[in-house]
Amino acid sequence: MTAPPFSPFDRPNSYIGRSVPRPNARRLLAGRGQFTDDVQFARLTHVAFLRSPHAHARIRGLDLNAAKAAPGVIVIATGADLARLCRPWVGTLTHFAGLKSPPQYPLAIDRVVWRGEPVVAAVAATRALAEDALELVVVDWEELPAVADMETALDPATSVIHPEFGDNKAFSLHLESGAVDQAFAAAHQVIEAEWHFGRHTAVSLEPRTMVAQFDPSEQRLTVFQSTQTPYQMQDVYARHLGLSDAQVRVVAKDVGGSFGMKLHVYGDEMATAALSMMLGRPVKFVADRLESFVSDIHARDHRVKARVAVTADGEITAFAVDDLTGIGPFSAYPRTSAVEGNQVIRLIGGPYRHRHYRADLKVVFQNKNIMSQYRAVGHPIACAVTEAMVDLAAASVGLDPVELRRRNMLTDDMYPYTSPTGFVFERLSHHQCLDRLVGHMDYESLRAEQERLRRHGVFRGIGIAAYIEITNPGPAFYGVGGARISAQDGCILKLEPSGQVRCLVSVTEQGQGTETAMAQVAASVLGIPLDAVRVVTGDTEVTPHGGATWASRGAGIGGETVLRAARALRDNILALAGTILQAHADTLDIRDGLIVDADGGRERMALAELARIAFFRPDTLPPDFQPEMTVARHHVPRGQPFAFTNGIQAAHVEVEIETGFIKLLKHWVVDDCGRVINPQLVDEQIRGGVVQGIGAALFEECIYGADGQMQNGTLADYLVPMAGEMPDIVVDHVSTPTVYSELGAKGVGEAGTAASAAAVLNAVNDALRPLGARVTTIPLTPDRVLAALGKLDA
């Protein structure tokens, strides 16, 4: 794509970076003939986007005249217009050697490469007026061949989406450990299968939404955004819009669901910020449901060929996998679209002690929406392939699936353990989790009931899936590759004059209870009531810099930061109390908001009284004593790149063989996330994750035609799990705290999603096994079940 040279000053208000009085609206918009009085200038405006109706097409011409003259329109902007304001971005990182992706702009310039790519922006007084104006835009399209099928994307006869690269391969990776060929040659049984996973997307309760407000008088951009990572976005806006970090503030308060989808840079959001700078006015964008389906990132589009070697007594000796994944026309920025496939091939076989492993990953471009990180990145594919192959291995040697897992799971005496793919596991608890799960299920009784019901034509299945989850990622995750994504988090704790505590922390609230957990850590360390802690998150102007919320890191990194800050503030409070009370600090304690004697608990003074003296009567203190009632601490994980957690899930289902419908009867989870801070929050995080995984297993799929058109981009056609369809979900815990932090907490946000689809897949195939049928594509729709039974064409 070609674009005009970038210039941060080439915009109607050429005042960026200059110390000048705020220009009036008439001067700022001179020549546009639109909204030129100061009152109108201050009002909120709304942007809508004309999106490509084609998966691949050349833009031969644009006629914008009628749109510019439409009522209420402030500006109509094209890709060339915004390319002058916004530097392009490229979704590559250096530690993914060979990863390719072309530059991406806020709006397409001369060519579109997926159906839904934004092409023209209309800013108007209301969203409806902006959409009306876009109806008047005339585009001269030249439709080009679309690359939709990832299976043929690398064929010589397939057109190349980005000719400068020579082919449609974005990335490839080969892993090999041990003597793989020898292990397969010596195996009693070699099991082979091919598994397919359908694309799906987040469908968050709150869509992507933002208000960007550029203040020309202060040369500052403020963005109120539904994002997981305010500091990442502050850096992105600053670097790509020609500003400094100090000129950008990002505010992300309570976010209504994100699931990884709100980690990425989107062209329409960059365009919204650039338009605010162009106009010097606040601009609001909300992705409606229709455009969300074709613009929010997709995930999990994989085809995996797998082989497993097993001995006669049920020992798994080797895995070999070939993973093909299609990511759309670009690698997502700034985290790339290589991470999911990378984690798939590095996690396959993880719970088991085989030593021979080979994996090949191919990541290809397609003319579909961009695909990237989504909750439990790569884990559901890795878990489903691993656990489905383990079930097949058990059947091949005549062992019960539980027994084969017992014979092959990593044992307690093996830690620390380095997997064949290079992951180092500090300490996991697979056998304890399995034993606990079997007990909760009353496994033997379920098997007996299954056999009894089969004789009456009722087909029930039991599926088990062990998993490992990557949590608490350190700098090795992104920073090592050059991404400006923080691995540390920060906390500022302040004792207020009222005696209450304000906690400013860099992790963010996505509906998972971050603020409650952080308040709980602070209150328990400080010895004050929970409601005496006010937590502030999601504002780059006031909270310390940090990585925020992604990859199950909130409690493990953010919670540790709060713990350390609270201990420091407690020491300062007790030092001041000792000075006031003429006692040694170590003879005092804080309990329920009161300074008390450590021995006996005699009340000495209220925390509010101590705060009053610190702030308003420091003259009564010794002249060499300075009360420090504000502390700041930062924490970055040390010792290991990740804190790995583990667990196991089981699903109990019934399959109606005449209709292909699957009824979920019950689901069990035993998880080990280290120290549990808030049991209710943790349990509900797991249950929510299980439901999301069940959605992938049974319902959710972005269906594309051969022309690259998404065919079910509405909530009438794209199915999501509903409460009435969900089973009871039993959650239990084993606790193995990490030794690499004082808190001992690991992550839990993605555990439920990691294995629930695998458990359901195994349960369905367990139900179908007496009928000689197997489903190998997720989601497990009724049509696919019937096709496996030979009752319907696949």
Side-chain angles (χ1 to χ4, degrees), residues 175-177 184 191 193-195 197 302-309 316-324 339-361 376-390 410 417-423 425 430 466-470 644 754 758:
L175 302 176
E176 187 154 351
S177 178
F184 277 102
I191 301 94
E194 182 171 315
W195 307 94
F197 301 85
H302 289 254
R303 185 274 295 143
V304 183
K305 296 178 180 178
R307 300 168 68 220
V308 169
I316 296 172
T317 58
F319 277 87
V321 296
D322 183 288
D323 182 15
L324 174 67
V339 174
E340 183 173 86
N342 178 66
Q343 293 193 174
V344 168
I345 65 170
R346 291 189 184 276
L347 285 167
I348 283 177
Y352 303 102
R353 55 177 185 263
H354 64 97
R355 298 308 302 164
H356 309 291
Y357 186 77
R358 177 185 294 145
D360 286 285
L361 169 67
V377 183
H379 294 62
I381 294 98
C383 184
V385 171
T386 300
E387 296 304 303
M389 296 302 290
V390 167
L410 298 172
Y417 176 83
T418 302
S419 78
T421 65
F423 282 152
F425 304 143
H430 289 299
Y467 62 90
I468 291 172
E469 182 193 0
I470 298 173
F644 288 94

Side-chain angles (χ1 to χ4, degrees), residues 398-467:
L399 287 175
D400 181 89
V402 167
E403 178 58 28
L404 186 122
R405 285 172 172 82
R406 281 204 174 101
R407 295 187 185 188
N408 286 277
M409 281 178 165
L410 298 172
T411 55
D412 293 348
D413 59 351
M414 299 178 71
Y415 300 107
Y417 176 83
T418 302
S419 78
T421 65
F423 282 152
V424 179
F425 304 143
E426 172 196 346
R427 185 172 180 82
L428 303 177
S429 55
H430 289 299
H431 285 272
Q432 297 94 313
C433 290
L434 177 59
D435 291 342
R436 192 81 62 90
L437 178 81
V438 169
H440 281 300
M441 295 173 66
D442 194 4
Y443 182 76
E444 296 300 331
S445 295
L446 283 183
R447 285 295 185 196
E449 178 189 57
Q450 179 186 45
E451 287 299 319
R452 184 171 62 254
L453 290 173
R454 280 175 178 171
R455 293 193 291 271
H456 297 282
V458 176
F459 293 90
R460 290 186 174 181
I462 302 164
I464 293 174
Y467 62 90

Side-chain angles (χ1 to χ4, degrees), residues 506-528:
S506 54
V507 291
T508 52
E509 179 61 76
Q510 313 290 314
Q512 77 279 49
T514 291
E515 293 181 2
T516 299
M518 299 303 106
Q520 187 175 341
V521 172
S524 62
V525 173
L526 290 171
I528 60 178

Side-chain angles (χ1 to χ4, degrees), residues 59-73:
I59 304 170
R60 294 194 296 202
L62 290 168
D63 184 348
L64 308 176
N65 292 326
K68 289 180 177 179
V73 169

Side-chain angles (χ1 to χ4, degrees), residues 294-623:
V294 294
S295 62
D296 295 355
I297 61 102
H298 294 178
R300 317 238 210 273
D301 191 3
H302 289 254
R303 185 274 295 143
V304 183
K305 296 178 180 178
R307 300 168 68 220
V308 169
V310 61
T311 66
D313 60 357
E315 179 188 357
I316 296 172
T317 58
F319 277 87
V321 296
D322 183 288
D323 182 15
L324 174 67
T325 179
I327 60 168
F330 299 100
S331 173
Y333 180 75
R335 295 166 187 262
T336 84
S337 298
V339 174
E340 183 173 86
N342 178 66
Q343 293 193 174
V344 168
I345 65 170
R346 291 189 184 276
L347 285 167
I348 283 177
Y352 303 102
R353 55 177 185 263
H354 64 97
R355 298 308 302 164
H356 309 291
Y357 186 77
R358 177 185 294 145
D360 286 285
L361 169 67
K362 291 187 288 292
V363 179
V364 299
F365 293 120
Q366 308 160 286
N367 291 120
K368 295 181 179 180
N369 188 15
I370 298 172
M371 198 175 82
S372 194
Q373 285 89 317
Y374 174 56
R375 189 177 192 177
V377 183
H379 294 62
I381 294 98
C383 184
V385 171
T386 300
E387 296 304 303
M389 296 302 290
V390 167
D391 268 18
L392 292 177
S396 74
V397 294
L399 287 175
D400 181 89
V402 167
E403 178 58 28
L404 186 122
R405 285 172 172 82
R406 281 204 174 101
R407 295 187 185 188
N408 286 277
M409 281 178 165
L410 298 172
T411 55
D412 293 348
D413 59 351
M414 299 178 71
Y415 300 107
Y417 176 83
T418 302
S419 78
T421 65
F423 282 152
V424 179
F425 304 143
E426 172 196 346
R427 185 172 180 82
L428 303 177
S429 55
H430 289 299
H431 285 272
Q432 297 94 313
C433 290
L434 177 59
D435 291 342
R436 192 81 62 90
L437 178 81
V438 169
H440 281 300
M441 295 173 66
D442 194 4
Y443 182 76
E444 296 300 331
S445 295
L446 283 183
R447 285 295 185 196
E449 178 189 57
Q450 179 186 45
E451 287 299 319
R452 184 171 62 254
L453 290 173
R454 280 175 178 171
R455 293 193 291 271
H456 297 282
V458 176
F459 293 90
R460 290 186 174 181
I462 302 164
I464 293 174
Y467 62 90
I468 291 172
E469 182 193 0
I470 298 173
T471 77
N472 296 2
F477 209 59
Y478 290 115
V480 71
R484 295 174 64 85
I485 298 170
S486 180
Q488 61 90 48
D489 275 299
C491 174
I492 299 171
L493 275 183
K494 303 178 180 180
L495 178 66
E496 304 282 11
S498 64
Q500 295 195 323
V501 170
R502 183 167 297 230
C503 173
L504 300 97
V505 65
S506 54
V507 291
T508 52
E509 179 61 76
Q510 313 290 314
Q512 77 279 49
T514 291
E515 293 181 2
T516 299
M518 299 303 106
Q520 187 175 341
V521 172
S524 62
V525 173
L526 290 171
I528 60 178
L530 185 64
D531 60 8
V533 181
R534 165 81 168 128
V535 178
V536 178
T537 64
D539 187 342
T540 62
E541 193 74 2
V542 297
T543 58
H545 196 287
T549 300
W550 48 275
S552 299
R553 65 188 303 283
I557 302 177
E560 179 73 11
T561 308
V562 174
L563 174 75
R564 296 184 180 208
R567 285 181 173 173
L569 181 58
R570 181 181 183 277
D571 289 345
N572 290 357
I573 290 171
L574 291 178
L576 175 57
T579 300
I580 295 170
L581 298 171
Q582 299 184 17
H584 290 294
D586 58 7
T587 67
L588 301 173
D589 197 2
I590 312 170
R591 299 174 191 170
D592 200 26
L594 301 171
I595 307 296
V596 301
D597 288 333
D599 294 332
R602 180 169 66 97
E603 179 181 338
R604 301 297 299 274
M605 67 186 306
L607 197 56
E609 174 62 13
L610 177 140
R612 183 191 68 80
I613 295 171
F615 287 101
F616 306 126
R617 291 304 310 275
D619 57 304
T620 63
L621 302 173

